[in-house]
Amino acid sequence: RRNGGGMLEEAINLTGLFLRDGPVVQVKDYRGRTQSFRITGNHLCYTGPLLVLVSRFSASASEIVAAALQDYGRAIIIGDQTTHGKGTVQTLLPLSDYVPWDFHGDPGKLKVTVQKFYRVTGLSTQQQGVASDVVLPSVDDYLDLGESSLPNALPADAIPPAYYQKTAGEAAFLPTLQKRSSQRVAANPDFAYVLTQIDLIKRKKLDKAVSLNQSVRLKEKQDAEASKAALEAKRARHPQLNENVYYLDIESARNRKPLKLLPRSTAKSSPAEAGPDGASIREVEEKGWDDATPQVGNDFTLEETLNVLADYVTLLQKPGSTLALQKDP
């Protein structure tokens, strides 16, 4: 959900854990030359049901992974309406190569866009991002967060598709998964809180006028506070999950360290302040265990993702399913 990208090579290798072979992404440079990057070697390690949780903060290389798994029909994408939409590659040109030899100090660097990413379908993730198959309500969808909100973002375009073989796919199950998720979301007071925040943002964007009457402004404030208090009270009555949540990082896995159990907070996550996807885990990722004492709040976005996964597994196990659960090789 919060993966801002990284190395192209790692994105391809990661995709190769879930696909046996084939192209992952196409790249076009500033001269119009197109290159396809493929999975090399057989590193497939999991062939079972797969969901990828994304948000508006999923960008660049993480979008490549999500797009490839979606295009092959290998995974269901769930989360915000779309990902960030960064489908370009930049390089830094040191200005020190272009100043006189006696220039003192660092003149800085120019960031130049030199390539664009394309999906195996030939479509671009630029501005458009990767659209979720199952959309969960999120305040971030209504804020200026994506690549498309930048003033000079390159437009989206398309190139010819690469040759790839789509798997049996999950498309047949999507209508059922979407319907069941919508029903749960409609009955969940946490998502109701998010929807209220979304409605408030929409109204603020449409209404450009502000009353100068003090009594009117005070009444608006009181009504907003009363509405928020009512929603918070309803959320407080929503039972917390009793599952244990552990934090696992690469170092712990490599050195086989015992998993760290995250202490559970009694407070609910606030979509307005921390985002609906739980800021407590983000603190651990940024500060590490030595500098942070995280508390696990109510990560209702992740909870609904697990519910969708459970539905998916159940549908796969039904007699007559077009897909069969496969064992890991």
Side-chain angles (χ1 to χ4, degrees):
R1 284 176 288 179
R2 295 175 293 274
N3 191 319
M7 295 177 62
L8 175 61
E9 180 183 2
E10 178 60 23
I12 297 168
N13 292 338
L14 178 61
T15 307
L17 299 178
F18 308 104
L19 292 171
R20 194 175 303 279
D21 53 32
V24 174
V25 64
Q26 301 183 86
V27 175
K28 185 174 72 172
D29 66 17
Y30 59 93
R31 294 178 179 174
R33 298 175 300 189
T34 303
Q35 182 180 4
S36 179
F37 289 85
R38 304 176 59 89
I39 296 169
T40 57
N42 183 8
H43 300 290
L44 180 68
C45 68
Y46 178 72
T47 58
L50 183 64
L51 266 69
V52 177
L53 178 56
V54 299
S55 75
R56 294 287 284 181
F57 297 99
S58 305
S60 193
S62 64
E63 292 179 284
I64 291 174
V65 176
L69 295 175
Q70 185 183 56
D71 290 339
Y72 275 87
R74 180 63 189 87
I76 293 171
I77 309 301
I78 183 171
D80 293 358
Q81 293 178 10
T82 65
T83 54
H84 192 79
K86 185 181 184 299
T88 58
V89 185
Q90 286 75 36
T91 188
L92 295 175
L93 298 179
L95 291 178
S96 56
D97 296 341
Y98 305 96
V99 297
W101 65 269
D102 57 349
F103 181 86
H104 297 289
D106 183 5
K109 299 177 177 66
L110 285 178
K111 182 183 286 186
V112 182
T113 298
V114 293
Q115 293 175 321
K116 290 182 76 172
F117 288 128
Y118 296 86
R119 304 167 72 143
V120 292
T121 60
L123 300 177
S124 173
T125 58
Q126 176 64 11
Q127 292 205 35
Q128 302 174 125
V130 180
S132 293
D133 299 306
V134 179
V135 177
L136 301 179
S138 171
V139 171
D140 295 335
D141 281 328
Y142 300 88
L143 303 176
D144 296 329
L145 297 174
E147 180 88 358
S148 58
S149 65
L150 299 178
N152 299 307
L154 291 178
D157 59 350
I159 62 174
Y163 176 76
Y164 70 103
Q165 290 185 307
K166 194 176 178 71
T167 64
E170 75 298 321
F173 301 109
L174 282 181
T176 301
L177 295 175
Q178 291 164 347
K179 180 179 178 181
R180 292 183 181 180
S181 179
S182 296
Q183 291 172 342
R184 283 190 298 266
V185 166
N188 188 318
D190 293 317
F191 280 115
Y193 187 89
V194 175
L195 291 170
T196 301
Q197 297 297 103
I198 291 173
D199 183 63
L200 180 62
I201 292 172
K202 286 181 175 179
R203 284 190 281 113
K204 283 186 175 180
K205 285 187 174 182
L206 291 174
D207 187 9
K208 306 298 182 181
V210 177
S211 175
L212 298 180
N213 188 302
Q214 185 182 34
S215 60
V216 172
R217 293 296 304 279
L218 286 174
K219 178 68 166 53
E220 290 174 348
K221 181 181 179 181
Q222 291 167 357
D223 290 345
E225 291 176 347
S227 176
K228 181 179 179 180
L231 284 168
E232 289 286 6
K234 189 174 182 180
R235 292 180 73 207
R237 293 193 295 270
H238 188 54
Q240 290 268 8
L241 290 178
N242 293 321
E243 296 142 343
N244 290 329
V245 180
Y246 297 89
Y247 182 76
L248 174 65
D249 58 15
I250 293 176
E251 181 184 357
S252 299
R254 182 182 293 121
N255 299 323
R256 300 184 181 275
K257 293 182 179 179
L259 295 180
K260 299 281 189 178
L261 176 63
L262 291 174
R264 185 161 293 280
S265 171
T266 55
K268 296 228 175 223
S269 302
S270 171
E273 297 173 3
D277 51 5
S280 54
I281 302 293
R282 189 182 311 168
E283 285 185 9
V284 185
E285 293 171 345
E286 292 177 351
K287 299 180 181 178
W289 274 97
D290 296 334
D291 302 321
T293 307
Q295 299 287 316
V296 178
N298 181 25
D299 193 344
F300 48 88
T301 299
L302 182 58
E303 178 186 347
E304 177 53 26
T305 301
L306 295 175
N307 288 334
V308 174
L309 178 60
D311 285 343
Y312 188 26
V313 172
T314 301
L315 291 171
L316 287 171
Q317 292 174 331
K318 283 188 175 181
S321 170
T322 56
L323 291 174
L325 290 176
Q326 305 176 53
K327 293 182 179 179
D328 296 346

